[in-house]
Amino acid sequence: MSDLDPSLGTRSYDLDRAHVFHSWSAQGALTPFVVAGGSGSEVWDYDGTRYLDFSSQLVNMNIGHTHPKVVAAIQAQAAELPMVAPAHANLARGEAAARILAKAGSHFGKVFFTNGGADANENAIRMARLTTGRDKVLSTYRSYHGNTGAAVVATGDWRRVPNEYARGHVHFFGPFLYRSEFWADSPEQEAERALHHLERVIVSEGASSIAAILLEGVPGTAGVMVPPPGYLTGVRELCDTYGIVLILDEVMSGFGRTGSWFSWQHPQVNPDGIVPDLITFAKGVNSGYVPAGGVIISESISGAFDDQVFPGGLTYSGHPLAMASIVAAIDAMEEEGIIDNAASIGEHVLGPGLQALAEQHPMIGEVRGLGVFWALDLVADRETREPVAPSVVGALKAELLKRGLLPFVIDNRLHVVPPCVITSEEALRGLAIIDEAFTAIGG
């Protein structure tokens, strides 16, 4: 960092404000944070000020910034073969697929590579429709599945509403005990009533018209809501009863985020060990070093296209630079115990530490999460659970930045989502900063 030039920070900011159009934003009021570099769980600006990255950028930097093995793999692949058409075979692509399938399990046989999570969900939906001959896709209101045509309409939150141009999408309420739609008073009751509600939607929509149910393994952007015991089992049973494909979106919750390779493999998320038909992924598979995502396809669904053409494809499907980064990232995660580290940090540091903060700060209504995937539900009143005002969240974000922590805030929540490589010392430092920031805003 010794050669950092503050004038480049000014130039970065000025060029951004003059020429860059930002996502999900009104453009006029933006003041983007300028990042000059990063390593592990930290980033820094052009003045050399370091920040703990408790956002993992967009909850994707699972292996941390500039991991040397992943960087070296991209460099080596760029020197050997930087691009090859998806119709050709390529060693990096085959190795990436083999490693992903090894983590998903024997139920799955093929991987279709995409550019990211949104088009992974697009293609999973397409596969479900083509193999069932049905049209409708059911997904929850508290969800985010991406910003492309069908994915954004499958999304349940406000971003769906201005973009509803895709057909055949129906929404339902998933389980969320803290803000229950079902007047439940226990996790078991929440699961039972949410499943009853889902079956009523299936029947009312016409089961024979429904191609797929699309769920996040652990809903992330919507609030890190670990499903109650029995819920995924019940959804699997409904899918089997009515001939519906079960798609689990592991774009955010996969590749270590919950302390498991996939969240649906975590015993707390899926104690009965049910298996989906399709899995979508992106983000943590290579920490976004090169854009990549994909669909992990069960043998039964991939076999349906042995003699039937799959009408889909992307120029950069299985891009060699992305594939090399996936191979290196998965190998490094395995060799360095990074998945186990995420689980341990969640169990021994972040989980207890965040619960302790909730005991000290009445603004924290609930702590939810696993591994390095947590959310604090912030309330103005613990009895009514009324969410705090946006201005309060803005003030909290400012205090965190001032103290050297880059946060991820959305709606009335602070998400605590550092890289899977975070150390205990870094996690404790982050918790101390969060404590100070709540104190500063009177929370």
Side-chain angles (χ1 to χ4, degrees):
M1 294 200 316
S2 58
D3 58 351
L4 289 174
D5 181 352
S7 69
L8 294 179
T10 301
R11 178 168 172 75
S12 298
Y13 182 86
D14 290 345
L15 286 170
D16 182 282
R17 297 310 301 124
H19 304 302
V20 177
F21 195 94
H22 285 256
S23 55
W24 309 122
S25 302
Q27 305 302 304
L30 293 174
T31 55
F33 179 77
V34 178
V35 180
S39 178
S41 296
E42 290 188 321
V43 296
W44 49 84
D45 61 22
Y46 281 96
D47 293 319
T49 305
R50 301 180 79 101
Y51 298 81
L52 277 172
D53 187 358
F54 264 45
S55 70
S56 292
Q57 297 306 293
L58 277 176
V59 199
N60 67 283
M61 196 58 62
N62 294 15
I63 205 167
H65 294 269
T66 60
H67 192 289
K69 293 176 182 175
V70 184
V71 172
I74 295 169
Q75 291 170 332
Q77 185 64 50
E80 179 181 301
L81 182 67
M83 170 57 192
V84 64
H88 305 310
N90 173 255
L91 181 60
R93 188 184 297 141
E95 295 284 10
R99 280 163 173 76
I100 291 165
L101 290 167
K103 302 309 177 188
S106 59
H107 184 72
F108 302 93
K110 297 286 178 65
V111 179
F112 177 74
F113 287 107
T114 65
N115 299 327
D119 48 356
N121 284 320
E122 293 279 344
N123 283 282
I125 288 169
R126 188 177 303 180
M127 290 174 190
R129 285 173 165 165
L130 289 168
T131 53
T132 62
R134 303 173 178 183
D135 192 45
K136 291 178 184 173
V137 176
L138 272 56
S139 53
T140 65
Y141 282 106
R142 294 187 179 97
S143 68
Y144 180 71
H145 296 291
N147 184 39
T148 50
V152 76
V153 184
T155 291
D157 71 27
W158 66 270
R159 288 170 286 191
R160 174 190 87 253
V161 180
N163 294 298
E164 290 182 302
Y165 302 111
R167 71 172 196 271
H169 290 270
V170 177
H171 293 85
F172 62 95
F173 287 103
F176 181 22
L177 183 59
Y178 187 68
R179 300 188 181 279
S180 177
E181 303 292 339
F182 309 111
W183 304 94
D185 56 19
S186 70
E188 294 75 17
Q189 192 176 75
E190 180 75 359
E192 180 183 6
R193 293 181 179 183
L195 288 167
H196 173 77
H197 162 68
L198 174 55
E199 185 164 26
R200 292 296 300 133
V201 172
I202 291 170
V203 172
S204 299
E205 287 294 329
S208 62
S209 71
I210 298 169
I213 293 175
L214 171 60
L215 295 175
E216 293 170 271
V218 173
T221 305
V224 191
M225 299 173 293
V226 178
Y231 184 71
L232 284 185
T233 302
V235 174
R236 175 75 271 179
E237 290 172 352
L238 289 173
C239 287
D240 291 342
T241 297
Y242 294 107
I244 298 168
V245 172
L246 176 57
I247 306 170
L248 287 188
D249 177 343
E250 292 275 351
V251 171
M252 188 176 284
S253 57
F255 291 95
R257 184 55 50 186
T258 64
S260 294
W261 283 101
F262 296 99
S263 71
W264 66 269
Q265 296 170 335
H266 194 292
Q268 188 172 329
V269 176
N270 182 17
D272 298 318
I274 67 96
V275 180
D277 300 300
L278 297 168
I279 307 164
T280 58
F281 68 90
K283 292 187 183 283
V285 70
N286 66 346
S287 294
Y289 281 34
V290 180
V295 186
I296 305 171
I297 312 167
S298 62
E299 294 278 10
S300 60
I301 291 179
S302 66
F305 296 100
D306 285 347
D307 300 309
Q308 173 188 354
V309 173
F310 176 64
L314 300 146
T315 299
Y316 303 121
S317 175
H319 191 286
L321 299 185
M323 299 302 100
S325 67
I326 288 173
V327 172
I330 291 177
D331 287 354
M333 283 184 155
E334 200 157 38
E335 293 161 3
E336 299 172 19
I338 290 171
I339 306 295
D340 291 339
N341 182 70
S344 178
I345 290 291
E347 181 179 356
H348 300 297
V349 184
L350 289 181
L354 293 171
Q355 291 292 349
L357 289 180
E359 294 172 7
Q360 300 172 40
H361 299 286
M363 187 183 294
I364 302 173
E366 186 179 53
V367 175
R368 302 186 292 270
L370 292 167
V372 286
F373 201 27
W374 296 84
L376 306 182
D377 204 310
L378 308 183
V379 296
D381 184 296
R382 278 189 172 175
E383 292 299 317
T384 65
R385 301 182 181 179
E386 175 191 353
V388 296
S391 60
V392 175
V393 177
L396 178 65
K397 180 179 180 180
E399 292 293 337
L400 291 167
L401 279 168
K402 186 165 70 176
R403 288 166 170 77
L405 186 143
L406 187 61
F408 186 96
V409 295
I410 185 167
D411 295 333
N412 68 309
R413 299 181 305 275
L414 171 65
H415 290 213
V416 179
V417 286
C420 299
V421 297
I422 192 169
T423 66
S424 295
E425 293 75 16
E426 289 170 329
L428 289 169
R429 177 155 57 96
L431 290 170
I433 291 172
I434 293 170
D435 186 14
E436 292 173 7
F438 274 111
T439 299
I441 66 169

